[in-house]
């Protein structure tokens, strides 16, 4: 794959007057953003027909930095807003940029129901196991034992596996990578953007400042090495026992199917309504 | 265009049904909701009608989502509405504030039942007046309308859409279980008999670049809806005229919030409507809103028969509030009575308006029943 220069991508898609971003040194959000923009660029999508939606948190600031229509909403509710945008104007393609706390904690209900409906949206989910913007509290994705300012002695609750949850709820496409898997990441986003229905690409993303610092990984390279240690490719994971998978995170493509999306279902529903009322000839 | 209900003639329908039909005639093509008594019939009617008029009706996972979805739909260019009752309305407060901050035209119907909490689901109340005006956090303003008949429920719904579009703001239609479930004769006009207002769109690139500016000097910026190539960024954070977050700039915050409040306050004489009944020579004024006004009209007639110079001021708009008008009235009359189906919410506004120029007495009633005319009369004549 030929990769354009990052400067070209920046100049083409970012709002220069909004730079610099709010992201800390070593943060992975910029990488996930770059992959998304590269995917859009590679596919030749028209930016006028794309709307970026987000909730609250570091990753949710992304729609402000990209030169597209964007809705920066309330905490956790991006997908509920997206439902309105998409159904009111099905010609718009929607990218929801969300964090793990945003999607799986406060937004958990909207998340599973958007998937159940198969809302036509591509979710780019930044999973850094923490609430970065508010100062490093634990997220519902935090693995047991990880520290956060609200679990100073190590998380005692079970984590959500967001990708797993999305597969079970019925998403059409689900993939998870770390932000260091850049080719897989870009390819997954490209696939997701071309599919109907709910598509999710989750990125394990380093947060050295709020998360790493409290878990003895103060820099991005340290987090990179940790990700290498805890991530297991899907093909390998299939051969591993549950005990061996304890504390590991499986990466790869978890779902790739073509159930009809919400927009198509609603179009059919409208036709059915008219037929049932005798409105159609 | 074909309508799924008769137009240009009268029909005998419930308040909830009237609101749904009015919304469709007002051009509403997106409805998102969550079932709740006594507002569910609005949703059920919308579910029946919307697919037939190529609109959307969707049952969301909760009220937070419903409110979010209609805001999203509005930014995608649709006229959008949701309906709920007190407990659901409480859940909508977060995103109602977002709609105010982002100046998104939407209509929210709150069919009041008693509270707090789940209260009396099937009985009427007027306990959400303060919530409708001040329920969301921060300094803000919006528009609250209050019908007292099924016909008014119909008419005010159309008015709600028009005001929302004109002022780029959420409008609350504050009704109650009594009107929602009561059947009355309602005239459903033909589309060409209805005057509709559409939101101002940017006239050129320059205007589109200031989605939160004031290019026309009326405080209402044109709304660059999504998908038109304007590349608009909308945020609930404090933002400048271009929509860029400016969260620690006191001046930007003050300018934004004052404009949002100002566009309502400076136009309040365009927004506010009321009905005055026998007030010209009145010495006793009754001020009420919604369903209670119907008992109050009768009460005033009985009082007049008894030789008491009573009159009624029926508020159709609860917010913005015309404090000056109340003060003028207070200067004219000896005493003002405020019958309402709660323990004193409109009363506070009236008392502030009266400004000590006349005594203001609350006639409260809770439990689910509307005041009888005699209950009001007896309080006045002692």
């Amino acid at each position: 794959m030929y990769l354009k220069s990052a400067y070209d991508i920046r100049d083409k898609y970012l709002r220069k007057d909004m730079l610099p971003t709010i992201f800390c040194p070593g943060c992975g959000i910029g990488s996930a953003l770059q992959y998304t923009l590269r995917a859009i660029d590679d596919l030749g999508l028209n930016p006028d027909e794309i709307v970026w939606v987000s909730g609250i948190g570091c990753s949710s600031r992304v729609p402000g930095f990209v030169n597209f229509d964007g809705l920066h909403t309330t905490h956790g509710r991006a997908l509920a807003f997206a439902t309105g945008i998409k159904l009111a104007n099905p010609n718009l393609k929607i990218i929801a940029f969300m964090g793990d706390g945003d999607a799986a904690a406060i937004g958990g209900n909207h998340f599973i129901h958007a998937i159940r409906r198969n809302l036509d949206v591509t979710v780019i989910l930044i999973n850094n196991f923490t609430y970065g913007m508010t100062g490093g509290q634990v997220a519902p994705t935090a693995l047991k034992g990880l520290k956060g300012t609200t679990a100073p002695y190590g998380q005692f609750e079970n984590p959500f596996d967001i990708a797993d949850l999305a597969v079970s709820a019925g998403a059409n496409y689900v993939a998870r990578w770390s932000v260091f898997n850049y080719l897989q990441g870009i390819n997954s986003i490209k696939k997701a953007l071309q599919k109907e229905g709910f598509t999710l690409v989750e990125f394990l993303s380093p947060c050295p400042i709020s998360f790493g610092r409290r878990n003895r990984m103060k820099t991005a390279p340290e987090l990179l090495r940790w990700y290498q240690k805890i991530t297991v490719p899907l093909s390998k994971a299939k051969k591993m026992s549950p005990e061996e998978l304890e504390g590991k995170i499986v990466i790869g493509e978890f779902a790739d199917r073509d159930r009809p999306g919400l927009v198509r279902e609603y179009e059919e529903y409208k036709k059915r309504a008219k037929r049932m009322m005798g409105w159609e000839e | 265009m074909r309508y799924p209900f008769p137009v240009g003639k009268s029909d005998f329908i419930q308040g909830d049904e009237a609101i749904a039909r009015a919304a469709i005639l007002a051009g509403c093509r997106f409805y998102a909701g969550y079932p709740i008594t006594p507002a569910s019939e609005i949703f059920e009617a919308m579910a029946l009608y919307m697919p037939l008029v190529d609109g959307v009706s969707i049952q969301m996972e909760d009220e937070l989502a419903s409110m979010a979805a209609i805001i999203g739909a509005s930014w995608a260019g649709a006229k959008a509405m949701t309906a709920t009752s007190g407990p659901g309305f409480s859940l909508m407060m977060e995103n109602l504030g977002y709609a105010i901050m982002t100046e998104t035209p939407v209509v929210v119907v709150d069919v009041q039942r008693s509270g707090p909490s789940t209260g009396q689901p099937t009985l009427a109340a007027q306990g959400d007046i303060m919530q409708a005006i001040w329920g969301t956090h921060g300094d803000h303003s919006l528009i609250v309308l209050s019908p007292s008949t099924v016909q008014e429920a119909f008419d005010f719904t159309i008015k709600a859409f028009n005001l929302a579009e004109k002022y780029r703001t959420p409008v609350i239609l504050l009704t109650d279980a009594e009107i929602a479930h009561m059947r009355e004769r309602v005239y459903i006009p033909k589309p060409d008999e209805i005057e509709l207002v559409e939101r101002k769109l940017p006239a050129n690139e320059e205007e589109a670049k200031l989605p939160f500016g004031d290019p026309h000097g009326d405080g209402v910026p044109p709304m660059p809806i999504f998908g038109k190539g304007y590349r608009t960024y909308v945020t609930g954070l404090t933002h400048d005229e271009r929509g860029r977050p400016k969260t620690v700039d006191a001046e930007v915050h003050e300018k934004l919030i004052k404009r949002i409040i100002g566009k309502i306050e400076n136009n309040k004489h365009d927004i506010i409507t009321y009905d005055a009944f026998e007030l010209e020579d009145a010495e006793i004024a009754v001020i009420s809103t919604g369903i209670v006004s119907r008992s109050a009209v009768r009460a005033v007639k009985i009082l007049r028969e008894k030789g008491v110079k009573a009159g009624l001021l029926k508020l159709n708009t609860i917010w913005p509030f015309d404090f000056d008008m109340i003060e003028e009235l207070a200067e004219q009359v000896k005493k003002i009575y405020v019958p309402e189906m709660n323990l004193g919410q409109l009363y506070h506004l009236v008392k502030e308006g009266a400004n000590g120029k006349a005594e203001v007495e609350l006639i409260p009633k809770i439990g689910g029943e509307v005041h009888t005319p005699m209950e009001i009369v007896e309080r006045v004549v002692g």
Side-chain angles (χ1 to χ4, degrees), chain A residues 53-275:
Chain A
V53 186
S54 66
I56 295 296
C58 299
S59 52
S60 293
R61 286 298 191 92
V62 157
F65 301 124
V66 294
N67 192 19
F68 292 75
D69 283 326
L71 201 63
H72 177 228
T73 70
T74 44
H75 195 20
R77 327 242 174 261
L79 294 173
F81 283 87
T83 310
I85 300 171
K86 186 66 191 179
L87 286 176
N89 184 355
N91 296 325
L92 299 173
K93 191 177 258 306
I94 305 199
I95 297 173
F97 224 90
M98 312 179 77
D100 47 325
D102 199 40
I106 188 166
N109 203 26
H110 307 309
F111 185 70
I112 56 173
H113 285 280
I115 301 174
R116 175 182 64 80
R117 292 186 185 105
N118 213 3
L119 171 68
D120 305 78
V121 61
T122 295
V123 173
I124 308 296
L125 199 146
I126 303 295
N127 181 358
N128 52 17
F129 307 116
T130 195
Y131 285 75
M133 186 170 267
T134 40
Q137 296 83 2
V138 281
T141 45
L143 305 177
K144 268 190 170 171
L146 287 176
K147 286 179 187 161
T149 51
T150 47
Y153 311 111
Q155 169 68 320
F156 57 91
E157 297 173 19
N158 298 314
F160 256 141
D161 183 324
I162 293 183
D164 217 19
L165 184 69
V167 173
S168 307
N172 262 358
Y173 181 78
V174 178
R176 172 164 54 213
W177 307 104
S178 86
V179 293
F180 305 106
N181 304 111
Y182 65 97
L183 280 179
Q184 292 96 324
I186 295 169
N187 285 332
S188 272
I189 297 172
K190 276 166 77 173
K191 236 176 174 175
L193 284 172
Q194 290 179 92
K195 279 182 94 77
E196 178 183 343
F198 195 99
T199 58
L200 167 75
V201 185
E202 178 186 348
F203 284 100
L204 303 176
S205 173
C207 173
I209 305 297
S210 281
F211 169 77
R213 192 159 52 93
R214 297 191 171 84
N215 287 282
R216 297 172 177 236
M217 293 174 282
K218 273 193 279 198
T219 62
E222 285 172 89
L223 280 160
L224 162 63
R225 282 192 284 278
W226 182 61
Y227 285 147
Q228 282 174 331
K229 213 162 62 186
I230 64 162
T231 54
V232 181
L234 185 59
S235 52
K236 197 175 162 195
K238 279 178 181 161
K239 296 174 203 138
M240 290 166 71
S241 67
E243 292 75 34
E244 288 173 305
L245 281 170
E246 189 68 32
K248 304 274 192 224
I249 294 178
V250 181
I251 53 171
E253 238 178 32
F254 302 100
D256 188 354
R257 51 196 168 194
D258 293 296
R259 295 173 175 171
L262 179 62
V263 166
R264 184 144 60 106
E265 297 271 28
Y266 193 76
E267 288 306 313
E268 287 302 315
Y269 179 74
K270 276 198 289 195
K271 282 184 201 155
R272 189 159 80 227
K274 287 177 186 170
R275 262 200 318 272

Side-chain angles (χ1 to χ4, degrees), chain B residues 126-375:
Chain B
Q126 293 182 312
D128 300 355
I129 292 174
M130 282 298 167
Q131 179 174 227
I133 303 169
W134 299 122
T136 197
H137 63 279
D139 298 296
H140 62 263
S141 190
L142 75 177
I143 296 170
V144 185
L145 306 179
S146 163
S148 66
T149 64
V150 178
Q151 182 72 55
E152 281 184 354
F154 182 93
D155 297 341
F156 290 7
T157 301
I158 290 174
K159 193 177 166 66
F161 276 98
N162 284 345
L163 290 170
E165 295 285 318
K166 187 171 183 183
Y167 293 109
R168 238 186 100 175
T169 187
V171 177
I172 313 294
L173 183 75
L174 195 62
T175 175
D176 68 86
E178 206 66 44
I179 296 165
H181 289 159
M182 179 193 329
R183 280 177 194 276
E184 285 187 302
R185 185 174 181 272
V186 179
Y187 178 66
I188 313 284
K190 288 183 191 145
D192 59 13
E193 295 172 64
I194 304 168
E195 205 177 313
L196 292 185
V197 178
E198 307 296 330
R199 70 189 66 170
K200 229 175 345 181
L201 299 170
N204 49 50
E205 281 294 315
E206 284 314 299
E207 283 191 11
K209 278 180 193 155
L210 300 175
F212 304 94
D214 189 9
H216 298 189
D218 57 356
V220 187
M223 184 169 173
I225 57 172
F226 291 166
K228 303 282 185 197
Y230 296 132
R231 315 280 180 94
T232 307
Y233 178 56
V234 182
T235 176
L237 293 169
T238 290
H239 46 270
D240 64 14
E241 296 185 333
R242 300 168 65 211
R244 307 292 199 247
K246 290 279 184 307
T247 57
V248 291
D249 191 325
E251 234 171 85
V252 170
H253 184 77
E254 191 176 333
K255 192 175 167 199
L256 173 68
I257 301 301
K258 283 194 168 166
R259 181 177 57 73
I260 287 175
I261 294 172
K263 74 181 176 184
I264 308 290
E265 203 54 35
N266 300 336
N267 292 299
K268 71 179 178 191
H269 295 297
D270 175 52
I271 297 166
I272 292 171
T273 70
Y274 57 88
D275 291 312
F277 179 70
E278 304 267 18
L279 268 182
E280 297 79 14
D281 62 341
E283 290 169 358
I284 297 291
V286 179
I287 298 181
S288 67
T289 190
I291 189 74
V292 179
S293 308
R294 301 173 68 150
S295 291
V297 170
R298 182 79 204 147
V300 165
K301 282 181 188 161
I302 296 169
L303 285 166
R304 285 273 169 180
E305 282 161 19
K306 287 179 184 290
V308 179
K309 284 189 174 174
L312 169 72
L313 179 67
K314 170 170 114 44
L315 303 175
N316 299 332
T317 313
I318 300 184
W319 197 264
F321 196 81
D322 197 339
F323 292 100
D324 298 336
M325 179 181 69
I326 303 290
E327 185 165 357
E328 276 170 38
L329 182 63
E331 279 164 358
Q332 176 199 322
V333 300
K334 289 181 190 140
K335 195 163 177 182
I336 296 172
Y337 290 89
V338 184
E340 54 180 328
M341 293 175 72
N342 59 56
L343 295 181
Q345 297 197 13
L346 185 63
Y347 166 72
H348 284 292
L349 296 171
V350 171
K351 205 171 172 187
E352 190 183 336
N355 203 14
K357 304 280 166 55
E359 193 187 336
V360 182
E361 189 175 322
L362 169 70
I363 309 178
K365 187 167 184 181
I366 57 172
E369 280 178 17
V370 185
H371 301 64
T372 63
M374 284 314 289
E375 280 173 337

